């Protein structure tokens, strides 16, 4: 089994030949060793303090030395005893703690120290935050925020399947009695079922039923307090209706909360009876409402029983594509926050996003503690920035923000809100016309974001990029950016000191930018080059010509427009160019390239660049080694003939001659592989080779031509090396949906626009892979059309337009589009036409309403042909040919476009009634792309762990991953993709090392559900491994329920024709066999046998294993004839594939003998029964009961985990042997490298 994920297992070999790097590498190694010691110290600094809240007993709390005081503040706001408090300070020994200090730096802090919670005076802001916190507590069990995609909430259903009535989690439940337990799954989970219901995706949870504490909590109409009451400390007035139907008017003052004597029509702010002042609103309501006190206490007990991973807010909002229909409820906090957000008056208004982001990047990072603080600050600020940018972008499209240029057409308008600048993905003033117009402007935003991510990863001190978020919402792409200080005070053209903002008409350079960009060029593979400026003078650049440099008023150098960071892809060209036939490689010609593309910003992915350079480096090493070996042979052959010369001339001249020849061979090898240096291997790309506005000096044309040839070679490498890798995918790694397919392509450096080529070339690839590729082409083409389709829809008709589009896409219904919201018509029109036809006439006036299914599929076919170079016929033909599921297509298009549909069952086959109505479109969410900062030290530890696992050092690998988990959690919080990856690996390593893996994997599953989605392929895979660990821990029934859940999700996402289904069915068969549910077990194992033969062939070892599993179940049932049949099939496969002496063949042969003996005994018993022989002694037939250790061993084998028992001595010998080989290989490689450089 692959324990580690990712393919970055070692530093880039392209930098290996440089001697100058060797001292730096040793310094890095020393730093890493120090870092590991620091991490150990980091993990050992936890201690216990005693918290003393006012008016209640103290309690103990475990903290760490690295925890900030403000983080302790948040922990107390979540604690069951102190959760109702928000406005307080913390004191130790009478001294108030600074909120930004770490606990270990607080004087007097130690194990057992008493920290007092001291109530503080409220401000208006504090009162609003307190009100929001109370609202969150009252709705803590309500999934509404997760459905609405707010406050970092998202869904998780793991505990629904792992928690019994006693509330214990997986790790605590025991495999006890199984009486009265029904092991049979729902019908739609069984093999052969074509039913794909949607409602089980979000099962109804009893523990989510809210306990109502209040009927109404809202802001009073008497707000804001008049001036005389402000002088008395009044801040906010509230109205409350308790469960006893008592109306309360509450004053929030600087000292706390109390009842006042106001009514709906009479303002009387004086205190009412009981005249009690409470510092917390919860305390006041508990005193005046017994029902509130009772229900709030029960609510908090339920809340704290939830797993922390279910309650923690995600750093980036996750949206769900389905939601049940829910009643809208009163929520004063939501109403107030929404109004304030639209007005730009929320709590983030005063934040200078640019200064915060740049200030975080300028923090020191020499020690581990400094780097952790810096990276934690960057991550937190970036998360807040993404949330603010997303909120602003949606407000822009919703029309809630005034443009700064209202006189322009809507597509050209720009906006400022909350210290952020918003522009739309359209071609403003024809800036992108030479590159492809609006299509290029749309693509440029993502290209720029990738460039910003690349420069952020390099992280050069002194070089700054602006914060960028790209939001797709309701058919419009919005780019949110931070504002460079001073850029609004003058024209951007006047601010540019580097690069070109007008497609090369004017070009500038600047020594400061050149120096900074040159530091990034080696890692980004960018060649320093010259172009001609507006005066036809050569100027030097170290980036694409479109990249501009601006010196802000804060003195910082900023780079913008990073869309040419990566080399262009010459296979896709915007215009017809006269390519010389000999220039285009034969590999490209054979695939039909170059071909026309809708814009000229097609670029190669960084993964492809690294793979290409790795390939060239291997070629370079072979050439150098070959030349050196030939040179050595020549020296030996001429040694005797040159002996007199050597004697008379001290041997210096031959040595010099040999060095000269070696140097010449190195130069030849460097030039042959495209290196920009003649002395060492160093491949870089000129990003301006294909830029339409770039002009080059005459003396550089030869080098430019060499660079163009290098680009063609990289494009040919993609076609000849990387695309064929898709056909070599192991069947267990076949993508399940469009997202996982895109990830698999990107890992190999292949862009999604090559999907048509992949389908044409991989005719014999796995059918599921073909199906997913076809589905992805169709849905991406539909997304392109949907984008322009929505831009012509009036706001009142969004739900009708979206439902009409889905009907045209997924059904063959020819019905009219659904009516407008609430069927409202103008009074004038309703008087003229009172018939039903009036609505149809009104709708048909809109362009979107005239779309038909045939027209839409015609556009999709045209888009697939032009963009992906793939052709197909009708919807019915493509769905039947590739066995596409319409429910899966609905899921994909909803995720790609941000549509949220109602959770109900949809009938797609009806030709007379549309599948989707207006009410089925619940919401539309933004699709957000942003930078993803993480921990650099933790990433290095993961890379070291990958090396350790390759050497078989599993315990060392476990320690390294544990340390990485600590760092990732410190920087990103516990709910993050990198933390989830570490938990997943720790679970697998724990299982292999014989330790408890349940806790790690349980957290990994919940993280996957919260971060990726409850039906994401990664979530399904995590469920699968959790079932294995559950079964190994004795939780057999829980394991079965998790497998049913995983199979349902797999069927919903990818259908029943997928290798994952074969894996799950084999596991289900084994688990059901262990539970002695033989008939059910046979159903799943028979389906697994069918799928295994389909994917792996009837002579594969996996097919043999499927036969063997069936034989064991038939044996337990006493059907020895069927058992013998399947085991004979398994034996013949083992014998032909691995030989008679192999363990598998021997074991199968022994098992055959055992089955034969049992069959003979049973037959004799039957014969004696039928012979009616008096007094015959009939031995009772013995049917084998399931052997749970054997079943677990088979489960391990099915999941790809092979546990080989070795003694400690054998392990030490293997390690020593491996280390010896590694040392020899390393020395050989270093000698070759040094000799080639010299």
């Amino acid at each position: 089994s692959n324990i580690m994920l990712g393919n970055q297992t070692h530093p880039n070999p392209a930098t290996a030949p440089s001697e100058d790097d060797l001292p730096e590498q040793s310094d890095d190694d020393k730093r890493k060793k120090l870092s590991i010691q620091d991490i150990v110290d980091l993990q050992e600094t936890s201690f216990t303090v005693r918290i003393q809240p006012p008016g209640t007993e103290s309690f103990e709390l475990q903290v760490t030395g690295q925890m900030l005081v403000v983080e302790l503040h948040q922990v107390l706001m979540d604690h069951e005893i102190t959760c109702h408090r928000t406005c307080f300070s913390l004191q130790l020994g009478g001294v108030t703690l600074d909120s930004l200090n770490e606990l270990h730096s607080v004087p007097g802090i130690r194990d057992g120290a008493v920290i007092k919670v001291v109530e503080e005076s409220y401000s208006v802001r504090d009162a609003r935050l307190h009100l929001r916190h109370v609202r969150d507590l009252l709705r803590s069990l309500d999934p509404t925020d997760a459905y609405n995609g707010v406050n970092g909430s998202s869904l998780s259903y793991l505990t629904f399947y792992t928690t019994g009535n006693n509330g214990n989690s997986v790790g605590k439940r025991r495999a006890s009695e199984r009486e009265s337990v029904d092991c049979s799954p729902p019908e739609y989970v069984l093999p052969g079922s074509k039913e794909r219901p949607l409602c089980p995706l979000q099962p109804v949870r009893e523990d989510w039923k809210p306990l109502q504490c209040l009927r109404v909590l809202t802001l009073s109409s008497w707000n804001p307090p008049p001036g005389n009451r402000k002088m008395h400390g009044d801040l906010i007035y509230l109205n409350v209706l308790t469960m006893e139907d008592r109306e309360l008017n509450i004053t929030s003052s600087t000292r706390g909360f109390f009842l006042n004597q106001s009514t709906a029509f009479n303002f009387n702010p004086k205190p009412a009876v009981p005249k009690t002042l409470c510092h917390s609103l919860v305390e006041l309501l508990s005193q005046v409402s017994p029902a509130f006190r009772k229900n709030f206490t029960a609510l908090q007990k339920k809340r704290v029983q939830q797993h922390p991973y279910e309650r923690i807010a995600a750093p980036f909002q996750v949206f769900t594509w389905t939601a049940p229909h829910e009643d809208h409820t009163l929520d004063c906090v939501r109403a107030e926050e929404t109004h304030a957000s639209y007005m730009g008056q929320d709590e983030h208004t005063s934040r200078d996003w640019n200064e915060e982001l740049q200030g975080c990047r300028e923090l020191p990072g020499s020690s581990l503690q400094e780097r952790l603080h810096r990276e934690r600050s960057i991550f937190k600020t970036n998360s807040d920035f993404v949330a603010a940018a997303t909120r602003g972008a949606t407000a822009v499209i919703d029309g809630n923000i005034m443009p700064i240029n209202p006189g322009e057409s809507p597509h050209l308008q720009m906006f400022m809100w909350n210290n952020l600048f918003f522009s739309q993905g359209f071609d403003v003033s024809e800036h992108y016309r030479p590159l492809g117009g609006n299509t290029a402007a749309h693509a440029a935003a993502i290209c720029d974001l990738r460039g910003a991510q690349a420069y952020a990863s390099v992280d050069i001190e002194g070089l700054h990029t602006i914060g960028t978020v790209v939001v797709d919402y309701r058919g419009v792409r919005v780019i949110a950016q931070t504002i460079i200080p001073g850029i609004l005070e003058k024209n951007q053209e006047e601010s540019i000191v580097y690069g070109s903002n007008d497609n090369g008409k004017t070009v500038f350079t600047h020594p400061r930018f050149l120096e900074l960009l040159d530091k990034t060029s080696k890692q980004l593979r960018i060649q320093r080059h010259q172009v001609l400026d507006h005066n036809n003078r050569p100027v030097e650049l170290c980036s694409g010509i479109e990249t501009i440099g601006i010196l802000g008023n804060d003195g910082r150098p900023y780079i913008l427009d990073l869309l040419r960071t990566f080399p262009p892809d010459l296979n896709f060209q915007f215009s017809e160019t006269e390519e010389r036939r000999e220039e285009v490689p034969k590999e490209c010609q054979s695939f039909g390239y170059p071909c026309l593309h809708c814009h000229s910003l097609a670029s190669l992915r960084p993964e492809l660049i690294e793979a290409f350079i790795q390939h060239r480096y291997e070629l370079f090493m072979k050439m150098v080694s070959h030349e050196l070996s030939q040179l050595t042979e020549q020296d030996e052959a001429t040694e005797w003939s040159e002996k007199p010369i050597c004697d008379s001339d001290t041997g210096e001249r031959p040595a010099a001659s040999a060095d000269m020849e070696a140097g010449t061979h190195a130069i030849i090898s460097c030039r042959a592989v495209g290196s920009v240096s003649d002395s060492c291997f160093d491949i870089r790309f000129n990003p301006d080779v294909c830029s339409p506005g770039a002009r080059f000096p005459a003396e550089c044309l030869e080098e430019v031509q060499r660079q163009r040839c290098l680009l063609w070679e990289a494009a040919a490498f993609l076609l000849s090396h990387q695309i064929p890798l898709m056909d070599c995918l192991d069947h267990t790694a076949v993508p399940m949906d469009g997202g996982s397919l895109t990830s698999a392509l990107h890992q190999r450096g292949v862009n999604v626009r090559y999907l048509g080529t992949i389908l044409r070339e991989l005719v014999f690839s796995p059918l599921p892979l073909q199906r997913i590729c076809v589905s992805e082409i169709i849905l991406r083409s539909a997304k392109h059309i949907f984008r322009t389709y929505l831009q012509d829809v009036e706001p009142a008709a969004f739900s009708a337009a979206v439902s009409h589009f889905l009907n045209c896409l997924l059904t063959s219904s020819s019905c009219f589009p659904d009516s407008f919201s609430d069927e409202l018509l103008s009074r004038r029109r309703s008087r003229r036409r009172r018939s039903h036809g009036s609505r149809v006439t009104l709708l048909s006036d809109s362009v979107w309403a005239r779309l038909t299914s045939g027209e839409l599929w015609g556009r999709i076919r045209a888009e697939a042909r032009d963009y992906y170079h793939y052709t197909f016929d009708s919807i019915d033909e493509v769905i039947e040919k590739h066995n596409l599921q319409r429910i899966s297509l609905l899921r994909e298009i909803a995720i790609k476009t941000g549509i949220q549909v109602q959770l109900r069952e949809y009938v797609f086959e009806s030709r007379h009634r549309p599948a989707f109505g207006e009410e089925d479109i619940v919401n539309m969410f933004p699709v957000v792309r942003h930078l993803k900062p993480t921990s650099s030290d933790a990433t290095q530890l993961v890379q070291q762990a990958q090396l350790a696992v390759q050497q078989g050092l599993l315990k060392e690998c476990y320690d390294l991953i544990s340390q990485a988990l600590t760092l990732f959690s410190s920087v990103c919080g516990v709910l993050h993709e990198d933390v989830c990856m570490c938990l997943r690996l720790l679970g697998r390593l724990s299982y292999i090392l014989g330790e408890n893996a349940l806790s790690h994997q349980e957290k990994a599953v919940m993280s996957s559900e919260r971060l990726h989605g409850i039906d994401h392929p990664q979530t399904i895979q995590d469920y699968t491994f959790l079932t294995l660990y559950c079964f190994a821990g004795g939780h057999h029934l829980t394991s079965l329920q998790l497998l049913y859940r995983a199979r349902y999700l797999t069927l919903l996402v990818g259908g029943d024709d997928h290798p994952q289904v074969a894996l799950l069915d084999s596991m289900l068969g084994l688990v059901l066999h262990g539970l002695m549910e033989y008939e059910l077990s046979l159903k799943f194992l028979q389906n697994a046998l069918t799928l295994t033969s389909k994917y792996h062939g009837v002579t594969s070892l996996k097919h043999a294993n499927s036969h063997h599993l069936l034989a064991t179940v038939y044996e337990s049932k006493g059907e020895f004839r069927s058992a013998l049949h399947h085991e004979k099939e398994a034996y013949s496969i083992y014998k032909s594939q691995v030989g008679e002496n192999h363990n598998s063949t021997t074991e199968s042969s022994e098992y055959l003998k055992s089955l034969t003996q049992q069959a003979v005994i049973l037959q004799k018993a039957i014969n004696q029964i039928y012979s009616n022989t008096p007094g015959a002694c009939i031995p009772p037939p013995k049917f084998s009961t399931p052997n749970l250790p054997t079943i677990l061993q088979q489960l391990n084998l099915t999941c790809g985990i092979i546990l080989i028992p070795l003694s400690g001595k054998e392990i030490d010998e293997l390690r020593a042997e491996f280390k010896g080989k590694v040392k020899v290989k390393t020395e050989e490689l270093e000698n070759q490298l040094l000799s080639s450089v010299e």
Side-chain angles (χ1 to χ4, degrees), residues 749-788:
V750 180
N751 305 82
V752 178
R753 59 179 172 270
Y754 283 95
L755 274 175
T757 302
I758 292 171
L759 274 170
R760 287 195 306 271
E761 297 302 319
L762 306 184
V763 179
F764 302 106
S765 60
L767 289 177
L769 181 59
Q770 292 184 30
R771 182 177 66 249
I772 294 165
C773 289
V774 170
S775 170
E776 189 69 0
I777 288 177
I778 291 172
L779 293 173
R780 282 180 177 263
S781 301
K783 183 183 74 169
H784 298 167
I785 297 163
F786 184 69
R787 186 171 66 234
T788 55

Side-chain angles (χ1 to χ4, degrees), residues 196 201 321 736-738 740 771-772 885 887-889 891-892 1014-1017 1020 1047-1055:
R196 299 288 181 265
L201 179 62
W321 66 278
M736 199 177 294
D737 66 351
S740 52
R771 182 177 66 249
I772 294 165
Q885 287 189 156
I887 190 69
S888 301
L889 295 177
R891 172 185 175 272
E892 288 278 359
I1014 56 176
D1015 55 353
H1016 192 276
I1020 297 173
R1047 192 177 201 276
Y1048 163 72
L1049 294 176
T1050 305
L1051 295 176
L1052 182 70
V1053 173

Side-chain angles (χ1 to χ4, degrees), residues 7-175:
N7 52 10
Q8 299 292 330
T9 56
H10 48 76
N12 185 356
T15 60
S18 176
E19 279 186 289
D20 297 334
D21 291 342
L22 294 177
E24 294 178 7
Q25 289 173 355
S26 60
D27 290 341
D28 286 344
D29 291 339
K30 291 177 183 177
R31 188 172 65 84
K32 288 173 188 173
K33 291 177 182 177
L34 288 173
S35 298
I36 292 173
Q37 184 56 48
D38 290 341
I39 297 162
V40 173
D41 297 339
L42 201 68
Q43 294 171 325
E44 293 176 351
T45 54
S46 60
F47 54 94
T48 302
V49 295
R50 181 165 289 278
I51 304 296
Q52 178 61 67
T56 57
E57 294 183 0
S58 62
F59 59 91
E60 289 187 343
L61 187 70
Q62 190 169 11
V63 296
T64 64
Q66 284 67 39
M67 179 183 284
L68 297 176
V69 174
V70 68
E71 292 174 339
L72 177 58
H73 195 284
Q74 292 294 326
V75 169
L76 293 177
M77 284 172 59
D78 190 62
H79 196 276
E80 184 178 7
I81 297 176
T82 54
C83 65
H84 59 281
R85 300 183 181 276
T86 61
C87 190
F88 60 88
S89 62
L90 300 174
Q91 291 185 1
L92 178 64
V95 179
T96 302
L97 306 183
D98 187 344
S99 62
L100 296 180
N101 280 350
E102 294 181 345
L103 289 182
H104 69 81
S105 65
V106 175
I109 197 78
R110 65 183 187 282
D111 194 66
V114 178
I115 297 178
K116 294 187 67 175
V117 176
V118 180
E119 298 172 345
E120 297 289 346
S121 297
Y122 285 94
S123 65
V124 174
R125 181 177 182 275
D126 293 332
R128 291 188 184 277
L129 289 175
H130 183 83
L131 186 61
R132 174 177 179 165
H133 184 65
V134 171
R135 175 260 192 195
D136 291 342
L137 289 175
L138 295 179
R139 297 170 65 98
S140 54
L141 300 181
D142 191 350
T144 302
D145 282 354
Y147 295 137
N148 293 333
V150 295
N151 299 330
S153 298
S154 52
L155 299 172
S156 174
Y157 286 96
L158 175 64
T159 53
F160 178 79
Y161 298 99
T162 60
T163 306
N165 295 327
N166 57 2
N168 290 332
S169 66
V170 167
K172 298 176 183 177
R173 293 177 65 194
R174 295 305 309 160

Side-chain angles (χ1 to χ4, degrees), residues 99 574 973 987 1084:
S99 62
F574 175 55
F1084 287 105

Side-chain angles (χ1 to χ4, degrees), residues 462-496:
L463 184 64
H464 297 268
T465 58
I466 59 175
T468 306
V469 174
V470 179
V471 180
D472 291 320
Y473 181 58
R474 292 192 177 182
V476 180
R477 174 160 286 179
V478 180
I479 301 96
Q481 295 173 311
T482 57
I483 302 171
I484 298 176
I487 197 170
L488 299 177
E489 301 170 8
K490 48 190 173 182
N491 291 332
Q492 185 170 329
E493 288 75 11
E494 299 175 6
S495 308
I496 296 172

